[in-house]
Short mmCIF file of all heavy atoms in Angstrom, two decimals:
data_model
loop_
_atom_site.label_atom_id
_atom_site.label_comp_id
_atom_site.label_asym_id
_atom_site.label_seq_id
_atom_site.Cartn_x
_atom_site.Cartn_y
_atom_site.Cartn_z
N ALA A 21 -21.55 -13.94 12.65
CA ALA A 21 -21.29 -12.57 13.09
C ALA A 21 -20.21 -12.53 14.16
O ALA A 21 -19.41 -11.60 14.22
CB ALA A 21 -22.57 -11.93 13.61
N GLY A 22 -20.13 -13.53 14.98
CA GLY A 22 -19.12 -13.58 16.03
C GLY A 22 -17.72 -13.83 15.51
O GLY A 22 -16.74 -13.48 16.14
N THR A 23 -17.60 -14.44 14.32
CA THR A 23 -16.28 -14.73 13.76
C THR A 23 -15.84 -13.68 12.75
O THR A 23 -14.73 -13.76 12.26
CB THR A 23 -16.29 -16.11 13.07
OG1 THR A 23 -17.25 -16.10 12.02
CG2 THR A 23 -16.58 -17.21 14.07
N ALA A 24 -16.68 -12.70 12.42
CA ALA A 24 -16.30 -11.65 11.48
C ALA A 24 -15.25 -10.74 12.10
O ALA A 24 -15.29 -10.46 13.29
CB ALA A 24 -17.53 -10.83 11.08
N PRO A 25 -14.28 -10.27 11.30
CA PRO A 25 -13.26 -9.39 11.86
C PRO A 25 -13.85 -8.04 12.24
O PRO A 25 -14.73 -7.52 11.58
CB PRO A 25 -12.25 -9.22 10.72
CG PRO A 25 -13.00 -9.56 9.48
CD PRO A 25 -14.08 -10.54 9.89
N SER A 26 -13.33 -7.49 13.32
CA SER A 26 -13.80 -6.18 13.75
C SER A 26 -13.11 -5.11 12.92
O SER A 26 -12.12 -5.36 12.26
CB SER A 26 -13.51 -5.96 15.23
OG SER A 26 -12.12 -5.94 15.43
N ALA A 27 -13.61 -3.88 12.99
CA ALA A 27 -13.03 -2.78 12.22
C ALA A 27 -11.60 -2.52 12.64
O ALA A 27 -10.76 -2.15 11.82
CB ALA A 27 -13.88 -1.54 12.39
N SER A 28 -11.25 -2.71 13.89
CA SER A 28 -9.89 -2.46 14.34
C SER A 28 -8.91 -3.54 13.88
O SER A 28 -7.71 -3.34 13.92
CB SER A 28 -9.85 -2.33 15.86
OG SER A 28 -10.24 -3.56 16.44
N ALA A 29 -9.43 -4.68 13.43
CA ALA A 29 -8.56 -5.76 12.99
C ALA A 29 -8.21 -5.65 11.50
O ALA A 29 -7.46 -6.46 11.00
CB ALA A 29 -9.23 -7.10 13.26
N ILE A 30 -8.73 -4.65 10.81
CA ILE A 30 -8.43 -4.50 9.39
C ILE A 30 -7.01 -3.98 9.23
O ILE A 30 -6.63 -3.00 9.85
CB ILE A 30 -9.44 -3.55 8.72
CG1 ILE A 30 -10.84 -4.16 8.77
CG2 ILE A 30 -9.04 -3.26 7.28
CD1 ILE A 30 -11.92 -3.26 8.26
N ASP A 31 -6.23 -4.65 8.42
CA ASP A 31 -4.84 -4.28 8.22
C ASP A 31 -4.72 -3.16 7.20
O ASP A 31 -5.53 -3.04 6.29
CB ASP A 31 -4.04 -5.49 7.74
CG ASP A 31 -3.94 -6.56 8.80
OD1 ASP A 31 -3.72 -6.21 9.96
OD2 ASP A 31 -4.09 -7.74 8.45
N THR A 32 -3.68 -2.35 7.33
CA THR A 32 -3.39 -1.28 6.38
C THR A 32 -2.62 -1.89 5.21
O THR A 32 -1.54 -2.44 5.40
CB THR A 32 -2.58 -0.16 7.04
OG1 THR A 32 -3.33 0.35 8.13
CG2 THR A 32 -2.28 0.95 6.06
N THR A 33 -3.19 -1.80 4.03
CA THR A 33 -2.56 -2.35 2.84
C THR A 33 -2.30 -1.23 1.85
O THR A 33 -3.03 -0.24 1.81
CB THR A 33 -3.42 -3.43 2.18
OG1 THR A 33 -4.69 -2.86 1.84
CG2 THR A 33 -3.62 -4.62 3.09
N LEU A 34 -1.24 -1.39 1.07
CA LEU A 34 -0.94 -0.40 0.05
C LEU A 34 -0.30 -1.07 -1.14
O LEU A 34 0.14 -2.21 -1.06
CB LEU A 34 -0.02 0.71 0.59
CG LEU A 34 1.41 0.34 0.98
CD1 LEU A 34 2.37 0.51 -0.19
CD2 LEU A 34 1.87 1.21 2.11
N SER A 35 -0.28 -0.36 -2.24
CA SER A 35 0.50 -0.78 -3.39
C SER A 35 1.34 0.41 -3.81
O SER A 35 1.01 1.56 -3.52
CB SER A 35 -0.40 -1.25 -4.54
OG SER A 35 -1.21 -0.19 -5.00
N TRP A 36 2.45 0.13 -4.43
CA TRP A 36 3.29 1.19 -4.95
C TRP A 36 3.81 0.76 -6.31
O TRP A 36 4.05 -0.42 -6.56
CB TRP A 36 4.39 1.58 -3.97
CG TRP A 36 5.39 0.52 -3.64
CD1 TRP A 36 5.23 -0.52 -2.78
CD2 TRP A 36 6.71 0.40 -4.18
NE1 TRP A 36 6.37 -1.28 -2.73
CE2 TRP A 36 7.29 -0.73 -3.59
CE3 TRP A 36 7.45 1.14 -5.09
CZ2 TRP A 36 8.59 -1.16 -3.89
CZ3 TRP A 36 8.74 0.73 -5.39
CH2 TRP A 36 9.29 -0.40 -4.79
N SER A 37 3.92 1.72 -7.19
CA SER A 37 4.30 1.45 -8.57
C SER A 37 5.46 2.34 -8.98
O SER A 37 5.63 3.45 -8.48
CB SER A 37 3.12 1.71 -9.51
OG SER A 37 2.03 0.91 -9.16
N VAL A 38 6.26 1.83 -9.92
CA VAL A 38 7.40 2.58 -10.46
C VAL A 38 7.17 2.79 -11.95
O VAL A 38 6.85 1.86 -12.68
CB VAL A 38 8.72 1.83 -10.22
CG1 VAL A 38 9.88 2.54 -10.90
CG2 VAL A 38 8.99 1.67 -8.74
N TYR A 39 7.35 4.05 -12.37
CA TYR A 39 7.23 4.45 -13.77
C TYR A 39 8.56 5.07 -14.20
O TYR A 39 9.23 5.71 -13.39
CB TYR A 39 6.12 5.49 -13.96
CG TYR A 39 4.76 5.01 -13.53
CD1 TYR A 39 4.38 5.06 -12.19
CD2 TYR A 39 3.86 4.51 -14.45
CE1 TYR A 39 3.13 4.62 -11.79
CE2 TYR A 39 2.60 4.07 -14.05
CZ TYR A 39 2.25 4.13 -12.73
OH TYR A 39 1.01 3.69 -12.33
#
Side-chain angles (χ1 to χ4, degrees):
T23 60
S26 64
S28 63
I30 295 175
D31 293 317
T32 300
T33 58
L34 67 91
S35 63
W36 63 281
S37 301
V38 174
Y39 300 83

